[in-house]
Structures are given as C-alpha cells and as structure tokens.
Amino acid sequence: MTEHVILTGSSLTSTDVVRVARGGAAVQIDPSAARSADASRAAIERVVERGEAVYGVNTGFGKLASVRIDHADLLQLQRNLIASHVAGLGDPLPVEVVRAVMLLRANVLLRETSGVRSAVVQQIVAMLNARVHPVVPEQGSVGASGDLAPLAHVAWGMMGEGEVSVDGGGTRPAADALRDAGIAPVVFEAKEGLAFINGTQVQTAMLALCVHDANNLWRTAIGAAAMSLEALLGTPVPFDARIHDARPHAGQQAAAALLRELLEGSEIRESHRDDDPRVQDAYSLRCTPQVLGAVADAMAYAQRTMEVELNSSTDNPVVFGEEILSGGNFHGQPVALALDILAIALTTLAGIAERRLDRLMNPELSQGLPAFLTGNPGLHSGLMMVQIAAAAVTAECRTLSNPASVQSIPTDAHQEDFVPMGMTAAWKARRVLQNTQRVVASELIAAAQGLEFRKPLRPGAGVQRLYERVRTQVPALDGDRPVAPDVERVAERLSQEAWV
C-alpha cells in the first residue's frame, strides 16, 4: 500500500477509510483531480457572473428555494446556511468516525460534479493531517438533503467556529486550534456551503467502519462456532461441500468451507465417530453455514452499497460542464437500508452464537460438560453469568434491529417529505456491532473452557490455534472470578482484527 492515501474523487476504498480513520495515515490530493475540481468551480463562477437563478447558488434553500439572493449577499448566504444548520444534538461522534467523515467529504468534493474549489478540499486534508477534528454531535440528521446537521458541524469547525479536538485530546476553540496548526479558516463561496452539507458522508463513514469490523467478526464467529461444535462433540458431516453445492449461496459455501478447514484433523471428532446414539445436532450447530452464510450475503450487500457511495456525487445541484442540474443524490435511502440490513444480519449472528453459548452451559445439552463449565458446580457458578449477560445484549440487538429506514417523518415544511433516517440506522448498527462482538467474545471464552474438559484430546488444527489465541487473553477458569473484564478484553481485541 502507498504511504499516503491519495484522493482522486473516484478511487477511495474501505481500506483507505480505516487507514485514515484509525491508523492516522496521511492524506494527499491528486493534482489532476484538483485541476478538475477547479475547472468545475469555474462553471459556477460563470453562473454567478451571468446572474442566472440556480438553486443553492443564488437562491434560498429547501422550502425557500424560490427566494432570489442578491449578488452582494452570496457569501453571507453560505455562512448563514452553515450557522443555521449547526443543530446537532447528543454525545459527540468518536474521533475515528469524524476522521472518516472528513476523508469521505474531501473525496466527494473533489469530483468535478461538485463545483467546489480545490482549496476547500485542501483545508479538510490539512486538518486531517494535523489531527484537528471538529466536535460533531451524533444526533440531528434524518439523512436526506444529506447529513445536514453533522456536516454543518464539520464545516463550522473549518470556519474557525465552535469546538474541535486536537490529536484525540480534549476540546478547544476551533479558531485557536487552526491558528496553532497554521491553517486559515475557510470562507465558503457561492454553492460551497450547500455542497459541503448536502451529502451522505456521515452515515456512509459509519457504514464503512461497521462493514470492515463486521467482516472481521464474521470470520471469528465461524471460528467460535467450530470451537463450540468440538466442545459439544458435534459432527462436521453437515458441512460437507456436496450439501452446500446443492444450495449454492456464496456465503453458505464460504462458511462451510471455513468450518471444514478449522475442524480438519480433530482428535475429538474421532473419539465419537462410532457408536454415537445421536442422529443430528441442534440447528445452532448443524445449520451454522446456512445462518452465517446468509449473514455474509447480507453483509456483502452492505459492502457493495458502501463501495459505490464512497466515490459518488451526493451533493445538489450537480455540475455537468456548463449545465447545472438539481436532483436528489443527497438522499440517504441506499445507505440507510444497507445499515438496517447490516444490523439485522449482525443480530442474527449474535442470536445463534448465544444459543450455542447456552448449550455449553446446560448439563442437559452439553454432552457431559459440567454445569456452567466449572469443575465444582454449586460451590462455583462458573460462566453462568456470561450466558445471562449475552442473552441481555442479544435481546437489545433484537430491539435495535427494528429498521430505521422506514421511519420517515416529513421535514422542511413538507419539502423534504420522505426521509430515510440514515443516521439513526447508523447509530443502531454501530451499537448492534458492539453488542455482537461481546456475544462472540462470550462464546469464545465458554467454548475454550469447554475444551479444557475434553483434554487430552485435541480439536481440529484451526480450532486449536483459535483456542490458543483465546488463552493469550483469558486464562482457563479454575474458580469463580469476575468475568466482565475477560469478555470486554476479548471483545476489544475482536473490534481490532479477525482472529480466524
């Protein structure tokens, strides 16, 4: 990979987003993209000079689009737009999300359809590289006409107004932080303020980070399922490739293949191959490829949507040479639907993981494992509360998986009469992801503990490697101890990388 992430307006990837948002990678602007942006800007300036009425350039906004603005007031119009839209509510977004938002906004404004000076994009890049981040509340966007309120908070900071955080530290006045970084506050010219806040980049930034983490978690969840299967003396027969080739969903085939790989060479399997009275395992074991395969396919849809949106023109109006067209690319319905689907998929993953976790605890279902995976049940409660806590957060996931993208409330005096609630979908998806990481962490801890009681038999080689990875974070349970730190520690690691 290149040392810098280079913005062209058309080549940003989810990997780039993660590198900049979390890894602090430096950002550069492709010179040819900057020239194209400035050429597009020239078309806007010619419209201003001719005095033609163009939405957002020399008119009011939304329901006020019919109001014509005098030439002398065009700069004030843009400032007033930003100031009036600094209306976000609630807790601030994490710095990693704000960095992703700034990166996405810079990339899209470079597109020659935006009509924004490259100097505006350069300031965003300068702030990213200096690690100066506007404070952006997480609530207040309905996701149509773009993420108006949160993007206005970003623009407000660029103007030297409001509060920013510097290098992940505490907040301070934006004017002071920009001055210390040697960055001049931006003055938005005609259309530029509108172009800045008309976009889906906040919800898309959150989608990009969630999809990245969900893909990592999916692989680890397959590993947790394989480890539980071994601890519960399950059979790998349902993962035979012929079964999944007969119903060739891509995610299902991938899940079954990964399970076969993880379970290969299992001594535990050989110990109960013959004379086992059971005919079939429970669904939570036997149907893992079908369930987690469907999860993978849903995640793939969310990823495809995100990849398109990263390099799409989402502001309004849109510049095509000398022609400036008003449309609705700022509408976040594609992103909101993807976020809702992602939340539903992750809730499904959490649900089946919790069911396997419960089987590991229950001596009536666990094929000889002691109750709650403790050697002295009664005196010790073992991992009883791990399953109870996992049930609680799984139930929360089910509540949060109710879709936001169908919850339209008309806004702007019914000019914006159908909105996608994309930021609500984004917040919910992020929360569901965090909950699901904790459920998978809980299953890993319990399944590893179950394998302690199968020794000296060894599981499949892939499962053994995963077991050893768990043991680098959580020692085997030899008596009651607080379990919350163990779960949170593993969940934190799962938020950083795949364990399989």
Side-chain angles (χ1 to χ4, degrees):
M1 291 187 292
T2 59
E3 185 175 341
H4 295 79
V5 170
I6 299 175
L7 299 182
T8 67
S10 60
S11 59
L12 191 66
T13 68
S14 58
T15 300
D16 294 332
V17 176
V18 173
R19 289 178 60 206
V20 173
R22 294 175 175 163
V27 182
Q28 292 180 345
I29 298 173
D30 179 76
S32 64
R35 289 191 294 271
S36 294
D38 288 333
S40 173
R41 177 63 195 173
I44 297 294
E45 292 171 353
R46 286 190 289 272
V47 167
V48 172
E49 291 170 3
R50 292 193 298 266
E52 299 174 12
V54 176
Y55 173 72
V57 176
N58 47 22
T59 73
F61 308 103
K63 190 70 171 179
L64 302 174
S66 60
V67 179
R68 185 68 178 270
I69 308 300
D70 290 339
H71 186 278
D73 294 329
L74 295 186
L75 295 187
Q76 187 64 43
L77 173 68
Q78 299 301 310
R79 180 179 177 83
N80 290 349
L81 174 68
I82 300 301
S84 66
H85 283 62
V86 176
L89 305 172
D91 296 332
L93 290 169
V95 167
E96 67 171 32
V97 173
V98 176
R99 286 184 63 79
V101 170
M102 295 169 71
L103 179 72
L104 268 60
R105 207 71 203 100
N107 185 63
V108 170
L109 291 178
L110 265 185
R111 294 176 62 83
E112 58 187 9
T113 51
S114 289
V116 171
R117 291 169 296 148
S118 63
V120 174
V121 181
Q122 187 59 61
Q123 192 198 2
I124 306 173
V125 169
M127 291 176 68
L128 276 171
N129 291 341
R131 301 189 66 81
V132 177
H133 314 116
V135 176
V136 182
E138 65 183 4
Q139 293 175 290
S141 171
V142 298
S145 285
D147 291 314
L148 294 172
L151 287 173
H153 281 268
V154 176
W156 197 234
M158 292 173 60
M159 295 163 64
E161 304 285 356
E163 297 286 311
V164 298
S165 67
V166 181
D167 203 19
T171 61
R172 56 185 303 209
D176 295 345
L178 291 179
R179 183 191 62 242
D180 292 349
I183 302 171
V186 72
V187 176
F188 289 109
E189 298 185 1
K191 188 189 183 292
E192 290 180 336
L194 178 65
F196 197 96
I197 65 174
N198 263 197
T200 63
Q201 278 63 54
V202 185
Q203 54 194 291
T204 304
M206 296 180 73
L207 176 61
L209 294 174
C210 283
V211 165
H212 173 272
D213 293 349
N215 282 329
N216 283 343
L217 183 63
W218 183 84
R219 295 185 62 82
T220 305
I222 295 287
M227 191 185 295
S228 292
L229 184 90
E230 293 273 48
L232 292 167
L233 303 182
T235 175
V237 170
F239 312 145
D240 188 297
R242 291 169 292 182
I243 294 174
H244 305 284
D245 289 344
R247 191 196 194 192
H249 292 292
Q252 178 177 328
Q253 290 177 310
L258 185 52
L259 284 163
R260 292 194 299 272
E261 179 183 341
L262 290 163
L263 294 165
E264 187 175 356
S266 170
E267 295 176 358
I268 294 175
R269 165 58 178 158
E270 294 307 315
S271 73
H272 63 93
R273 181 181 291 275
D274 300 320
D275 300 322
D276 191 327
R278 295 171 297 164
V279 177
Q280 296 183 125
D281 290 324
Y283 281 7
S284 60
L285 299 172
R286 184 181 5 140
C287 299
T288 295
Q290 288 80 4
V291 175
L292 294 191
V295 169
D297 291 339
M299 286 164 43
Y301 167 78
Q303 178 155 345
R304 288 193 301 272
T305 300
M306 174 267 294
E307 289 170 346
V308 170
E309 198 76 359
L310 287 181
N311 299 291
S312 293
S313 297
T314 58
D315 55 312
N316 183 56
V318 187
V319 181
F320 298 97
E322 293 298 311
E323 198 170 3
I324 301 174
L325 304 179
S326 182
N329 278 0
F330 48 64
H331 202 287
Q333 198 71 35
V335 183
L337 280 169
L339 283 159
D340 278 341
I341 289 169
L342 183 62
I344 292 169
L346 288 170
T347 297
T348 302
L349 191 157
I352 195 169
E354 187 279 326
R355 287 294 78 207
R356 290 190 299 265
L357 175 59
D358 179 69
R359 298 188 78 83
L360 288 162
M361 301 294 163
N362 188 338
E364 295 183 7
L365 302 174
S366 64
Q367 301 301 313
L369 294 175
F372 306 111
L373 300 175
T374 176
N376 193 356
L379 178 62
H380 295 154
S381 295
L383 296 180
M384 177 192 298
M385 285 304 302
V386 170
Q387 186 270 329
I388 292 173
V393 297
T394 299
E396 181 180 287
C397 288
R398 290 171 178 164
T399 299
L400 291 173
S401 66
N402 181 48
S405 57
V406 297
Q407 304 292 341
S408 176
I409 297 177
T411 60
D412 192 21
H414 279 251
Q415 177 73 5
E416 299 162 3
D417 60 351
F418 189 83
V419 302
M421 300 299 179
M423 277 301 293
T424 304
W427 179 87
K428 294 194 308 90
R430 184 179 176 88
R431 176 81 171 187
V432 167
L433 171 66
Q434 293 167 343
N435 285 347
T436 305
Q437 288 165 339
R438 292 184 172 102
V439 175
V440 173
S442 299
E443 184 183 6
L444 286 170
I445 291 169
Q449 183 68 16
L451 290 181
E452 302 296 339
F453 296 100
R454 303 303 183 191
K455 290 180 177 178
L457 297 175
R458 291 170 63 88
V463 171
Q464 179 65 26
R465 288 192 297 271
L466 182 56
Y467 162 83
E468 292 167 358
R469 183 72 180 271
V470 174
R471 285 288 169 256
T472 66
Q473 302 297 322
V474 178
L477 191 71
D478 56 7
D480 283 348
R481 64 170 187 256
V483 292
D486 293 342
V487 175
E488 294 289 10
R489 186 164 55 254
V490 174
E492 173 64 22
R493 299 300 186 273
L494 298 187
S495 72
Q496 298 169 358
E497 59 182 336
W499 279 18
V500 173

